[in-house]
Amino acid sequence: MTTESDTQPITYEELLAAVQPSAGGREILDPATGELVGRAPQHILEDLESTVAAARAAQPGWAALGHEQRSAYMNRAADAFEANAEALAVLLSREQGKPLNGPNARFEVSACAAWLRATAGFELEPEVLVDDEGGRAELHYRPLGVVGAIGPWNWPMMIGVWQLAPALRMGNTVVMKPSSSTPLSVLALVHVLNTALPEGVLHAVSGDRTVGNRLVEHPDVAKIMFTGSTDAGKAIIRNSADTVKRLTMELGGNDAGIVLPDADPQAIAQDLFWGAFINTGQTCAALKRLYVHEDIYEDVVTALTETAKAMPMGIGLDENNVLGPLQNKAQYDVVANLVQAAKDSGARIVLGGNPEQDQPGYFYPTTLVADIDNNNPLVAEEQFGPALPIVRYSSVDEAIGMANGLEVGLGASVWSSDKDKAREVAARIVAGTVWINKHGAVDPRVPFGGAKQSGYGLEFGVEGLKHLGQPQVITY
């Protein structure tokens, strides 16, 4: 049990010291400047084994507390997170690269606390399936045991909370494996939450792929939650097969947006921009290919260009910036190569596409590409960065066919002044979520999951809780 004094803020330096090893470790560099942020521990297989054992030992006691007491602990953990919000945001900005302001580092930290509170408040009561003269049947959800959570580098804290919050709420214990690109953020997340949680229920192991593979195949881990690429997800599915693990897989997306001819270009430009460029485009459910009707094509391109020009990009700790660098060199190269392929094809570079070669950091300028073929690699492959292709279409059927033409279906959006017409189009798109006049607006109360090769399983809301429990029918 924590007291009010337990939630007093610590400094950034104290937070960083708490998650670094006393000696050694792997250097973590700021993607905006190349400067040293800190050193991450290099846990090995023996560390993972002892961590899983500790999580397994703590799980029965945590489950026995019941939903009400577990929710109370989660709310206190949210208090601790809010008390340390600024130090957490600075670390996140330096390690991941995202600016403090805009829908970025401070936004992410705030969302973590909000998500913890929302998840703590969900009620999951037994469902009465049958109740008649023949008997009664009830559906209950029991804890699974130990949950392994493997997170990405783009939203390391927030997606970490998306994984750990419902797992803890349902009475499971959690072992987190952060991305090797952003381990300090997740270690800090766990450190702060553990000032309010009982010992042993939440752990983090920062290791290489060998550690991750062992977590996936470990016989004492009941479920894996994974957010990342489709290729990595397929490997996890294969490696988990021998233990028949439960899986929630939130995999790659290449989200389409369809702008209908009745849309108002000026009215939607700001929301289109942030739908595509939130976190500098490094978001699974960001708008990554935009289909615009020929009647308003140039007006949309112009309005979006004007909006994009007003969004400053630079070092995250500069309070003026709202766009940052790519988090790592590999992702920078992906974006640069795809934009170059668009240039080589003769597509029109409306904005950006001309990175400075002599500046530090992995900055790629905000880039809009018009008059591009739907089969161009910038459209057909997930760029995961600040480059948006804008494709012209003539008929709604053509736009829907192009939107559904890939083997991914995480999210999509329809933009129109007529919501009834937009809903008709949305119903024909194969995606886990289709937004109308917005994109990527997730809500802790609303289930979220992918279609096709964007994964399976649901997160968020009461339905998300169910995916962290073992269904059990009791009939009498």
Side-chain angles (χ1 to χ4, degrees):
M1 192 77 66
T2 61
T3 65
E4 186 176 345
S5 62
D6 292 321
T7 60
Q8 294 305 302
I10 60 176
T11 67
Y12 169 78
E13 291 75 17
E14 289 169 332
L15 180 64
L16 190 58
V19 300
Q20 292 186 105
S22 56
R26 184 171 57 86
E27 288 189 346
I28 302 296
L29 305 181
D30 186 329
T33 64
E35 297 172 352
L36 179 69
V37 177
R39 297 179 180 274
Q42 295 178 290
H43 293 130
I44 59 176
L45 289 176
E46 287 80 359
D47 299 314
L48 177 68
E49 294 295 336
S50 61
T51 299
V52 171
R56 186 182 184 193
Q59 191 273 324
W62 176 243
L65 291 177
H67 290 307
E68 186 174 342
Q69 289 190 64
R70 290 197 298 272
S71 292
Y73 271 113
M74 291 173 63
N75 280 315
R76 286 193 288 272
D79 291 341
F81 211 74
E82 288 173 336
N84 293 284
E86 189 62 15
L88 287 161
V90 170
L91 176 57
L92 176 61
S93 180
R94 293 200 65 207
E95 182 179 49
Q96 201 281 334
K98 63 184 65 183
L100 290 171
N101 289 326
N104 293 297
R106 289 182 177 126
F107 166 84
E108 181 170 348
V109 170
S110 176
C112 289
W115 226 274
L116 281 163
R117 296 192 193 284
T119 306
F122 295 142
E123 295 184 2
L124 180 56
E125 300 295 334
E127 299 174 34
V128 178
L129 307 175
V130 174
D131 190 10
D132 58 22
E133 64 277 3
R136 180 181 175 93
E138 300 171 348
L139 176 59
H140 298 255
Y141 289 87
R142 311 299 188 195
L144 293 167
V146 178
V147 171
I150 303 176
W153 48 257
N154 57 333
W155 295 91
M157 290 185 183
M158 188 166 72
I159 292 178
V161 169
W162 289 359
Q163 296 171 331
L164 70 88
L168 293 177
R169 171 69 175 76
M170 286 300 295
N172 305 293
T173 52
V174 179
V175 177
M176 304 192 72
K177 164 65 173 66
S179 165
S180 59
S181 296
T182 52
L184 298 175
S185 294
V186 175
L187 292 168
L189 165 76
V190 170
H191 172 76
V192 171
L193 296 183
N194 275 337
T195 64
L197 294 172
E199 184 177 356
V201 304
L202 177 62
H203 306 262
V205 177
S206 173
D208 60 16
R209 187 172 297 178
T210 302
V211 172
N213 289 342
R214 177 56 180 163
L215 179 63
V216 167
E217 66 185 23
H218 202 293
D220 291 336
V221 174
K223 181 182 176 82
I224 293 292
M225 301 187 75
F226 173 73
T227 298
S229 71
T230 297
D231 286 344
K234 290 177 180 179
I236 287 173
I237 294 167
R238 289 190 293 268
N239 292 343
S240 69
D242 285 346
T243 51
V244 196
K245 279 187 176 45
R246 277 59 180 156
L247 300 172
T248 294
M249 312 296 288
E250 198 257 88
L251 307 180
N254 193 347
D255 287 13
I258 298 176
V259 180
L260 300 183
D262 64 2
D264 181 341
Q266 291 294 334
I268 65 175
Q270 184 96 357
D271 289 330
L272 278 176
F273 176 84
W274 284 118
F277 292 97
I278 186 171
N279 198 28
T280 316
Q282 300 166 106
T283 299
C284 296
L287 173 58
K288 298 189 176 78
R289 46 195 175 112
L290 183 62
Y291 298 99
V292 181
H293 192 272
E294 59 189 6
D295 289 352
I296 59 170
Y297 184 84
E298 291 300 338
D299 290 339
V300 170
V301 170
T302 298
L304 195 50
T305 302
E306 292 171 352
T307 300
K309 285 180 177 178
M311 301 295 179
M313 175 184 288
I315 294 172
L317 297 184
D318 183 334
E319 298 277 357
N320 295 310
N321 294 323
V322 294
L323 299 171
L326 278 302
Q327 201 285 321
N328 54 76
K329 179 63 161 59
Q331 195 57 44
Y332 178 94
D333 289 343
V334 167
V335 175
N337 291 337
L338 288 174
V339 173
Q340 187 61 50
K343 287 182 179 179
D344 294 344
S345 73
R348 174 163 53 112
I349 307 299
V350 181
L351 181 69
N354 55 341
E356 296 181 20
Q357 302 299 319
D358 56 351
Q359 69 173 0
Y362 304 127
F363 289 97
Y364 197 92
T366 306
T367 299
L368 298 173
V369 182
D371 299 332
I372 186 169
D373 187 84
N374 188 56
N375 295 319
N376 189 281
L378 181 60
V379 182
E381 300 175 21
E382 184 181 24
Q383 71 276 49
F384 215 71
L388 179 67
I390 309 171
V391 180
R392 191 190 309 259
Y393 74 87
S394 300
S395 71
V396 172
D397 287 345
E398 177 191 12
I400 293 171
M402 291 188 291
N404 288 339
L406 302 179
E407 285 304 312
V408 289
L410 188 58
S413 56
V414 182
W415 304 76
S416 172
S417 298
D418 184 336
K419 288 189 177 179
D420 290 335
K421 186 181 298 182
R423 282 195 292 267
E424 291 176 6
V425 174
R428 298 174 60 191
I429 298 175
V430 184
T433 300
V434 183
W435 293 277
I436 292 175
N437 293 331
K438 55 187 174 182
H439 197 110
V442 293
D443 185 311
R445 302 165 296 179
V446 179
F448 179 75
K452 298 190 279 189
Q453 292 192 27
S454 288
Y456 49 77
L458 288 173
E459 300 176 276
F460 313 162
V462 173
E463 290 302 316
L465 286 183
K466 292 177 180 179
H467 284 249
L468 272 301
Q470 173 60 52
Q472 181 187 53
V473 173
I474 297 178
T475 182
Y476 53 93

